[in-house]
Amino acid sequence: TFYCGQDPKLKAGERIFTAPKNILVADPDQTRAVRLATLIKKLDYNAFAASSGPDFLRITVGIIPNLILLDLNMPLVEGQTALQTVRGHRSLGIIKVITISDKASQQELEATIDKGANGYLIRPLTPAEVYRTIPKHIEPHPRQVPRLNVIFRATVFTGTTGRSLFVTVISELGVFVRTLKPLPKGSRLKLSLDLPSAKPIVLEGEVIYVVGPERAVAEEPGMGIKFVSIDKEIQSGLRRFIDEQLTGSIGMDALL
C-alpha cells in the first residue's frame, strides 16, 4: 500500500508515493487501544497498540513510530510519563506525539503542548478527525477527508455511451475507477454509483489524474475522478457511509 498525496505545486495528475507510516496507539485501556489501532489500519497506516509501560518502551524504541496517539492516563515508563520518556530520549525526538483525553481534561491536554506534544485530541473521536490529524503531522501533502477501499460497480457515462466499471476507492470528494482504458485528464463525465441506497447515486465528475497500465508503481490502473457540484446532502450521506464502513467492525462508541 502506498500513501498518495497531491501537491498543488505539481502538475495536474502528478503525485507523490511514500511507504505507509507507523502509528503507535498508547492507551491503558487495551480494548480501546486495539480498536483505535484497527481504525488506523483501515486508513492505510501501519498501527501498533501498547497498554503498559514496558510495551510502550519496547515498541517506541524498537520501531520508532512516526506518530504516537498517547492517552493521558498511560502508566509511567521507568518513573516518567510516556511523553517525558519520548522527549527525553535523543533518538526519539523525531516522533510526533498527539495526546488524547476527554473534555474534562482539556487543561491537562493543553499543558502537554508546552511539555513537547505536537497536538491533542478530545474524545469522542471520529474517523475524519483522526484522519485529518495524522496526515497533518507526518505527511508532506496531507489529504483532508478519509478514503475508503471498496469494490462496487459504477457506470461511467460520456455522452450517450456508458461503461460498467469498478470503483476501488471512494471519499466524499471523489472516486478512483479501475480501468485499463482511462479517459484523458480533464474529461467531464457522469457517474452512476451502485452504493447501498434506494437507487443508484448519479453524480457529475471530472478526471483529475490517470494511472496507465505501464506505470512502474504498485498501483492499479485507472482514473481519479473528483465530484463536480455535488449536492451537500449527498456529500453528507457519502461521509456517513464512509464513517460507518470504517467503524462498522468496532463501533463508534469504541473510540470514546
Side-chain angles (χ1 to χ4, degrees), residues 71-246:
D71 188 272
L72 281 187
N73 292 321
M74 193 66 186
L76 296 178
V77 181
E78 298 182 343
Q80 295 182 310
T81 67
L83 181 57
Q84 288 173 328
T85 299
V86 173
R87 290 297 174 247
H89 199 297
R90 181 179 299 178
S91 65
L92 304 181
I94 61 173
I95 299 176
K96 304 296 184 182
V97 179
I98 305 298
T99 52
I100 302 177
S101 192
D102 53 31
K103 183 69 175 178
S105 301
Q106 183 167 352
Q107 287 188 335
E108 294 176 66
L109 287 170
E110 293 172 352
T112 63
I113 302 299
D114 293 331
K115 298 176 182 178
N118 300 94
Y120 64 84
L121 290 171
I122 297 175
R123 292 192 183 93
L125 308 179
T126 66
E129 186 177 24
V130 173
Y131 187 81
R132 283 194 303 267
T133 299
I134 294 175
K136 175 183 175 182
H137 290 280
I138 63 175
E139 300 291 0
H141 312 292
R143 294 180 179 273
Q144 296 302 309
V145 296
R147 303 192 311 161
L148 179 67
N149 293 323
V150 293
I151 292 288
F152 66 83
R153 285 191 178 276
T155 305
V156 177
F157 294 95
T158 52
T160 58
T161 303
R163 285 193 289 165
S164 181
L165 301 170
F166 283 97
V167 170
T168 57
V169 178
I170 187 171
S171 79
E172 65 185 76
L173 302 179
V175 295
F176 184 83
V177 175
R178 183 173 63 197
T179 176
L180 293 174
K181 298 179 180 180
L183 297 168
K185 288 181 290 186
S187 299
R188 299 294 289 264
L189 49 82
K190 283 191 176 182
L191 282 165
S192 178
L193 305 178
D194 289 341
L195 288 168
S197 56
K199 59 182 179 179
I201 298 174
V202 179
L203 298 168
E204 294 186 5
E206 178 183 345
V207 178
I208 58 172
Y209 69 87
V210 170
V211 180
E214 73 285 350
R215 286 288 297 274
V217 295
E219 189 181 24
E220 62 183 351
M223 51 188 173
I225 300 170
K226 72 174 181 179
F227 301 137
V228 177
S229 302
I230 183 172
D231 179 83
K232 294 296 183 182
E233 185 174 345
I234 294 177
Q235 187 175 22
S236 296
L238 288 174
R239 187 182 307 130
R240 288 193 302 272
F241 168 75
I242 292 168
D243 282 357
E244 288 169 1
Q245 295 300 308
L246 287 171

